């Protein structure tokens, strides 16, 4: 059982040590007085653990060492397979008092133990050297000094090579076997270090997350603090406004009541004054009649008395007949007037704790938040204000001077987002939002500019050029405003019947064309999407591209006015050579003298093959030319074009291979009706073949400085039919 423990911890313990009955004791016995009971035969005061130098003991020791060496190799191999690291294994081998010295040390000491004639001083020096090992601690004399004991303790601490998982401390491997950690679970020290480091790293990550959360919460608290101040200011302003309104209403009511009271006073005073004036006049009349009557009554002349008495009586009767109003025309009391506080109460009741909301914050445009005709706009309200609804306003952005005249649109929504439809593609719109509640409307948010996605591009199928390993695709945008980039999506048709496709994308294309590398002998569906800040457009209509050969089209802008392109797009025809009244359009890039047309540029390195079908009685020129070949000259008559010319003489069909107006003297006996043309950029060759009989006609050897265009010309009325997308015939390599 002890041997199994030593093997598990990587200790170099030989099997012979156990076969010879060697007994090991706990480390606590070493250096104590009880060791004398264990080794009674060992005399004190000597440092050597082997007493006596007889030949028999030396031979026995030699045999033990030899057996230990023979068994030590397999044991070391078993220790290494146990999974412990070399550092633990070496530490255990040097620190364990059970295993002794290494095999190399034993091999060096073996001759010293066997030899009888060894000098006594050397033996003593060797014994003193052995006393520095762990064996010295168990077998040394009882006179071990305190200094050596403290040194041994420090060595024990320094030689910790395993980790006790129970006590959570580093220990020596020996303590696992005989110390207080015998029944504890241990692990490799390096593994424990890595485990602790990983645990510390996890805790550091959690601590960083907690720090970030606390910082975010502190930032949120600061925002709430500011929001409280802002809400207090708005509420204070709200109270002040309502207070001023109430005071203004009260002042108005006071003025109205005071004015009405003054009017009543004026009316009372006027009525009393009129009545007082009337009383005064009546009193004056009474006094005047009283005086007149009194004078008449004292008249002694009877005749005079009678005359005046009759008149006076009539006057008095008439005066007394008038009713005298002795009642007050008005009362001195004023009408009870009370101020109507209902309006003030209504104003006071309208004062509440819900302020008008603050301005919302509109978000920037999010990715993929737009289509060609719709936008999704989002915003937020970074406060606790009560909001009943939002008003979202928008208008298109215009670069013109009178942009303010653009029609504004307004929507009311309950949520903090809204999707607006029926918009123009690839167009910028300006948005702003306000919040509403019972107390009022908030200030408008900052204005944000959103842009709708572009319209799907239109692929120019007639301008597509391809070969066995590449294709040049051109398209155009439907929008007036420019886009940021384009994405080309290609789907390889692996099984046309089942419709299995493999899709790839080429992104970040700045222009309206792309050179795409493809695989030979395949078929592809190609679509194009336009991208801007608002997102991606829908896919364009797909086009089908085959990589079975070279495809090109005829460039109508270069065609002579008398040359026509039939409906199939690859047949050119000329009905008459001269037409003085010709009103066909003439382009700046058209041929004016030679009735010719250029095909699309072939911008792909490598080999390109196409065929031209012509009737035997048709005179023509076919070949290749640079883009800048003169439009007012003939093909082959300059250094920028290479062509094969067919003319009919009275005696035979004549074929010329022209470049710079020069041709070799070549006779062709079988007039070809289908001419194969092989353009080889890499080998600087342009070859012509009779494709019907696989016959080589002629080859130009010229280093093309630029990519070339196929060219075709008619010199007599007739037709030429061009065949593209043909794989290079294998017989061209043999001719």
């Amino acid at each position: 059982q002890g041997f199994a423990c030593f093997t598990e911890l990587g200790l170099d313990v030989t099997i012979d040590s156990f076969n010879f009955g060697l007994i090991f004791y706990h480390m606590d016995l070493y250096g104590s007085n009880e060791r004398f009971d264990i080794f009674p035969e060992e005399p004190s005061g000597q440092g050597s653990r082997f007493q006596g130098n007889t030949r028999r003991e030396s031979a026995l020791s030699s045999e033990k060492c030899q057996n230990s060496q023979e068994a030590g190799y397999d044991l070391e191999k078993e220790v290494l397979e146990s999974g412990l690291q070399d550092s633990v294994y070496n530490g255990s081998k040097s620190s364990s008092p059970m295993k002794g010295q290494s095999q190399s040390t034993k091999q060096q000491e073996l001759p010293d133990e066997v030899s009888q004639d060894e000098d006594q001083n050397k033996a003593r020096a060797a014994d003193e050297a052995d006393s520095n090992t762990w064996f010295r601690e168990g077998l040394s004399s009882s006179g071990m000094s305190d200094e050596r004991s403290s040194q041994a303790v420090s060595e024990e601490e320094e030689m910790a090579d395993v980790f006790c998982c129970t006590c959570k401390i580093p220990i020596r491997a020996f303590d696992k076997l005989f110390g207080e950690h015998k029944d504890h679970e241990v692990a490799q020290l390096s593994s424990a270090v890595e485990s602790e480091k990983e645990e510390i790293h996890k805790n550091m990550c959690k601590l960083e997350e907690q720090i970030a959360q606390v910082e975010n919460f502190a930032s949120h608290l600061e925002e709430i603090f500011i929001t409280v101040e802002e809400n207090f200011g708005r509420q204070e302003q709200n109270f002040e406004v309502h207070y001023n309104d109430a005071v203004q209403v009260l002042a108005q009511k006071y003025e109205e009541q005071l004015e009405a009271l003054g009017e009543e006073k004026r009316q009372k005073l006027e009525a009393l004054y009129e009545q007082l004036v009337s009383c005064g006049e009546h009193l004056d009349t009474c006094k005047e009649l009283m005086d007149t009557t009194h004078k008449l009554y004292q008249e002694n002349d009877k005749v005079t008395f009678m005359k005046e008495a009759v008149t006076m009586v009539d006057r008095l009767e008439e005066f007394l007949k008038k009713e005298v109003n002795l009642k007050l025309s008005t009362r001195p009391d004023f009408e009870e007037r009370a101020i109507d506080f209902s309006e003030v109460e209504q104003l006071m009741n309208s004062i509440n704790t819900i302020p008008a909301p603050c301005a919302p914050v509109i978000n920037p445009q999010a990715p993929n938040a737009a289509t060609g005709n719709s936008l999704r706009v989002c915003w937020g309200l970074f406060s606790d204000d009560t909001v009943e609804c939002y008003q979202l306003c928008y208008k298109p952005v215009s670069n013109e001077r009178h942009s303010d005249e653009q029609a504004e649109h307004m929507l009311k929504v309950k949520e903090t987002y809204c999707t607006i439809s029926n918009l123009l593609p690839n167009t910028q719109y300006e948005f702003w939002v306000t919040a509403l509640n019972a107390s009022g409307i908030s200030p408008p948010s900052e204005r944000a500019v959103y842009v709708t996605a572009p319209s799907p591009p239109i692929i120019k199928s007639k301008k597509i050029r391809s070969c066995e390993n590449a294709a040049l695709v051109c398209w155009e945008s439907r929008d007036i405003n420019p886009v940021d980039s384009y994405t080309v999506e290609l789907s390889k048709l692996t099984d046309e019947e089942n419709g299995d496709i493999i899709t790839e994308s080429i992104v970040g294309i700045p222009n309206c064309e792309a050179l795409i590398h493809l695989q030979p002998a395949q078929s592809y569906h190609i679509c194009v999407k336009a991208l801007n800040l608002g997102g991606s457009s829908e896919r364009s209509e797909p086009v089908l591209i085959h990589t079975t050969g070279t495809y090109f089209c005829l460039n109508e802008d270069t065609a002579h006015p008398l040359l026509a392109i039939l409906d199939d797009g690859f047949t050119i025809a000329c009905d008459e050579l001269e037409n003085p009244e010709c009103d066909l359009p003439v382009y700046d890039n058209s041929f004016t003298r030679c009735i010719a047309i250029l095909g699309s540029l072939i911008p792909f390195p490598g080999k390109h093959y196409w065929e031209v079908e012509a009737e035997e009685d048709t005179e023509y020129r076919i070949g290749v030319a640079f883009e800048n070949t003169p439009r007012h000259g003939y093909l082959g008559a300059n250094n920028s074009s290479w062509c094969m010319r067919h003319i009919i003489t009275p005696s035979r069909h004549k074929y010329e291979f022209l470049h710079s107006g020069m041709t070799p003297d070549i006779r062709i006996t079988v007039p070809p009706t289908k001419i194969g043309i092989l353009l080889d950029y890499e080998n600087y060759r342009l070859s012509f073949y009779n494709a019907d009989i696989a016959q080589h006609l002629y080859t130009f050897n010229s280093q093309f400085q630029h990519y070339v265009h196929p060219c075709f010309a008619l010199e007599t009325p007739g037709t030429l039919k061009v065949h593209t997308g043909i794989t290079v015939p294998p017989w061209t390599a043999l001719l």
Side-chain angles (χ1 to χ4, degrees):
Q1 183 179 1
F3 177 76
C5 294
F6 274 98
T7 304
E8 182 181 358
L9 295 174
L11 302 178
D12 189 9
V13 180
T14 62
I15 301 175
D16 290 294
S17 301
F18 297 95
N19 292 338
F20 280 96
L22 187 60
I23 302 174
F24 295 91
Y25 298 92
H26 197 277
M27 279 294 297
D28 295 340
L29 297 176
Y30 297 158
S32 64
N33 293 329
E34 296 178 1
R35 70 184 180 88
F36 294 106
D37 298 335
I38 299 174
F39 305 103
E41 74 281 359
E42 180 182 357
S44 60
Q46 295 187 4
S48 176
R49 69 178 182 273
F50 297 103
Q51 185 68 28
N53 293 321
T54 62
R55 186 179 302 274
R56 181 182 61 81
E57 292 174 347
S58 300
L60 182 60
S61 300
S62 176
E63 183 179 357
K64 288 183 179 181
C65 293
Q66 184 176 0
N67 292 335
S68 299
Q69 291 173 3
E70 293 175 358
Y73 176 77
D74 295 336
L75 187 58
E76 280 190 0
K77 183 177 181 182
E78 184 178 357
V79 170
L80 291 176
E81 292 176 353
S82 66
L84 294 177
Q85 297 183 356
D86 293 340
S87 61
V88 177
Y89 172 74
N90 294 333
S92 300
K93 192 165 71 172
S94 62
S95 62
S96 174
M98 304 270 308
K99 64 180 181 175
Q101 301 175 353
S102 63
Q103 292 182 7
S104 61
T105 307
K106 291 179 180 180
Q107 291 175 359
Q108 293 177 3
E109 291 181 352
L110 185 58
D112 296 338
E113 295 177 348
V114 176
S115 178
Q116 296 180 355
D117 299 332
E118 186 67 31
D119 184 37
Q120 188 67 22
N121 294 331
K122 293 183 178 180
R124 185 176 293 109
D127 291 339
E128 291 176 356
D130 291 339
S131 64
N132 293 329
T133 64
W134 282 99
F135 281 104
R136 178 188 59 77
E137 297 181 10
L139 302 176
S140 61
S141 63
S142 61
M144 180 183 296
S145 63
D146 295 337
E147 181 180 357
R148 293 182 178 180
S149 298
S150 61
Q151 182 179 0
V153 173
S154 62
E155 289 179 356
E156 291 177 3
E157 295 177 353
E158 294 177 355
M159 292 180 178
D161 45 17
V162 293
F163 181 77
C164 179
C165 300
T166 304
C167 300
K168 303 295 183 181
I169 58 173
I171 63 172
R172 298 174 303 147
F174 182 79
D175 293 338
K176 165 62 179 172
L177 298 176
F178 301 102
E180 59 182 352
H181 307 281
K182 182 176 182 180
D183 298 329
H184 295 176
E185 182 182 357
V186 297
Q188 298 181 22
L189 188 60
S190 59
S191 301
V193 170
E194 293 297 329
S195 178
E196 289 299 324
K197 286 184 177 180
E198 183 178 357
E199 187 67 23
I200 291 174
H201 179 70
K202 291 181 180 178
N203 292 332
M204 289 177 63
C205 294
K206 293 181 181 179
L207 185 59
E208 290 178 356
E209 293 178 358
Q210 187 172 1
I211 290 173
Q213 292 177 357
V214 173
E215 289 179 349
N216 292 335
F217 182 72
S219 177
H220 181 64
L221 287 178
E222 292 178 358
E223 294 177 356
I224 296 300
F225 182 87
I226 297 174
T227 303
V228 169
E229 293 289 344
E230 292 177 351
N231 290 340
F232 171 76
R234 288 197 301 271
Q235 188 66 22
E236 183 182 18
Q237 184 179 3
N238 185 36
F239 279 128
E240 184 178 357
V241 170
H242 283 75
Y243 171 77
N244 292 334
D245 292 342
V247 170
Q248 185 176 0
V249 170
L250 286 174
Q252 183 178 358
K253 294 292 184 181
Y254 171 77
E255 294 293 337
E256 291 177 356
Q257 293 294 334
L258 187 61
E259 183 178 357
L261 187 62
E263 180 66 20
E264 185 180 0
K265 173 187 174 183
R266 183 185 64 79
Q267 292 177 359
K268 286 180 177 294
L269 292 178
E270 287 181 355
L272 291 173
Y273 179 77
E274 290 178 358
Q275 191 174 14
L276 181 61
V277 171
S278 177
C279 290
E281 291 178 352
H282 187 76
L283 184 59
D284 291 340
T285 303
C286 289
K287 287 181 178 182
E288 189 268 330
L289 289 176
M290 181 62 68
D291 292 339
T292 303
T293 303
H294 183 70
K295 290 179 179 180
L296 180 61
Y297 186 78
Q298 294 177 356
E299 182 64 39
N300 295 322
D301 187 4
K302 294 181 180 180
V303 176
T304 303
F305 174 80
M306 288 302 298
K307 289 181 180 179
E308 292 180 1
V310 174
T311 305
M312 189 64 187
V313 171
D314 295 337
R315 183 179 176 187
L316 287 172
E317 289 177 358
E318 182 180 359
F319 177 77
L320 292 174
K321 287 180 181 180
K322 293 181 180 179
E323 184 177 359
V324 179
N325 187 10
L326 299 178
K327 294 182 179 180
L328 293 175
S329 60
T330 182
R331 297 182 60 84
D333 299 333
F334 283 85
E335 181 183 354
E336 292 292 337
R337 297 182 180 274
I339 298 178
D340 185 8
F341 291 99
S342 60
E343 187 175 355
V344 178
E345 290 178 357
Q346 184 178 359
L347 287 173
M348 297 302 294
N349 292 333
S350 65
I351 302 177
N352 50 57
T353 58
I354 301 177
C358 61
V361 178
I362 194 165
N363 299 340
Q365 183 170 358
N368 302 321
T371 64
N373 57 5
S374 67
L375 284 170
R376 180 182 174 89
V377 183
C378 301
W379 60 89
L381 190 68
F382 295 96
S383 67
D384 297 331
D385 296 341
T386 302
V387 176
E388 295 180 358
C389 66
Y390 296 93
Q391 285 184 351
L392 178 64
C393 302
Y394 67 95
K395 67 176 182 178
V397 176
S398 176
N399 295 327
E400 300 177 358
R401 295 181 179 179
H402 303 288
S403 59
D404 295 337
E405 298 179 0
Q406 294 285 345
E408 294 184 2
H409 305 273
M410 190 269 288
L411 298 173
K412 281 192 175 183
V413 294
K414 294 286 187 180
E415 298 81 9
T416 57
Y417 60 88
C418 182
T419 300
I420 301 94
S421 305
N422 300 324
L423 303 177
L424 298 176
N426 198 28
T427 304
Q428 291 182 340
Y429 287 87
E430 190 176 37
F431 291 88
W432 64 96
V433 63
T434 55
L436 293 86
N437 63 12
S439 299
I441 186 171
S442 72
S445 66
E446 295 289 337
R447 301 199 175 195
V449 176
Y450 281 51
V451 59
T452 53
S455 301
I458 301 175
I459 298 179
K460 300 178 180 179
S461 56
K462 292 185 178 181
K463 293 188 177 182
I464 293 178
R465 289 153 280 176
S466 64
C467 63
E468 292 184 352
N469 53 15
L472 182 63
V473 183
C474 302
W475 59 87
E476 62 182 2
S477 175
R478 295 181 180 179
D479 303 321
I480 300 176
N481 298 326
V483 300
D484 294 340
S485 63
Y486 296 92
T487 297
V488 175
E489 295 183 349
L490 53 128
S491 304
K492 184 170 65 175
L493 304 180
T494 57
D495 189 351
E496 295 187 3
E497 294 182 358
N498 297 331
D500 296 335
I501 59 175
I502 300 175
T503 302
E504 299 178 5
S505 297
I506 304 173
V507 300
I509 302 174
N511 303 320
C512 290
E513 65 177 20
L515 180 62
I516 308 170
H517 296 281
L518 305 174
Q519 297 178 0
Q522 300 292 335
S523 297
Y524 293 88
H525 271 145
I526 293 184
C527 301
V528 181
K529 296 192 299 183
L531 290 87
N532 63 7
L533 293 176
S536 173
S537 70
E538 299 293 331
R539 291 184 176 89
S540 66
E541 292 295 329
V543 294
L544 182 62
I545 293 180
H546 302 281
T547 56
T548 54
T550 300
Y551 287 86
F552 59 85
C553 56
L554 300 176
N555 191 350
E556 298 180 3
D557 295 342
T558 63
H560 190 278
L562 296 178
L563 202 62
I565 301 176
L566 302 187
D567 294 338
D568 62 359
F570 292 95
T571 302
I572 59 175
C574 179
D575 295 334
E576 51 186 342
L577 299 181
E578 294 183 1
N579 187 2
E581 299 179 356
C582 177
D583 56 355
L584 297 176
V586 178
Y587 300 99
D588 295 337
N589 202 26
S590 300
F591 284 93
T592 57
R593 188 173 183 182
C594 180
I595 306 176
I597 188 174
L598 295 180
S600 302
L601 183 71
I602 302 178
F604 315 110
K607 295 182 179 180
H608 306 278
Y609 180 81
W610 64 93
E611 294 178 351
V612 180
E613 188 176 351
E615 299 177 357
E616 289 188 8
D617 58 348
T618 302
E619 296 183 359
Y620 55 82
R621 297 178 187 234
I622 55 176
V624 298
F626 287 143
E627 172 68 29
N628 60 353
T629 189
R631 302 298 193 262
H632 57 278
Y634 287 95
L635 296 176
N638 46 61
N639 60 358
S640 60
S641 59
W642 299 258
C643 71
M644 169 184 172
R645 183 188 182 192
H646 172 231
I647 55 177
I648 301 175
T649 63
S651 59
R652 63 185 179 90
H653 292 271
K654 184 178 180 180
Y655 294 91
E656 298 177 344
F657 296 90
L658 297 169
H659 177 62
S660 298
M662 311 213 25
T663 179
D665 187 9
I666 295 178
R667 290 180 177 267
I668 298 175
T669 57
V670 179
T673 58
K674 184 180 290 186
I675 302 97
I677 303 175
L678 177 61
L679 173 63
D680 189 350
Y681 278 121
E682 296 178 354
N683 296 316
Y684 314 115
R685 293 180 181 178
L686 178 66
S687 302
F688 295 87
Y689 301 90
N690 186 339
D692 292 328
I693 59 176
Q695 178 187 13
H696 175 256
L697 301 178
Y698 183 74
T699 296
F700 288 102
N701 291 297
S702 178
Q703 185 172 359
F704 301 106
Q705 298 177 354
H706 309 284
Y707 290 120
V708 296
H709 296 256
C711 58
F712 314 91
L714 287 169
E715 296 188 345
T716 59
T719 60
L720 291 176
K721 187 170 184 179
V722 183
H723 299 275
T724 63
I726 304 173
T727 305
V728 178
W731 45 261
T732 59
L734 305 176
L735 300 177

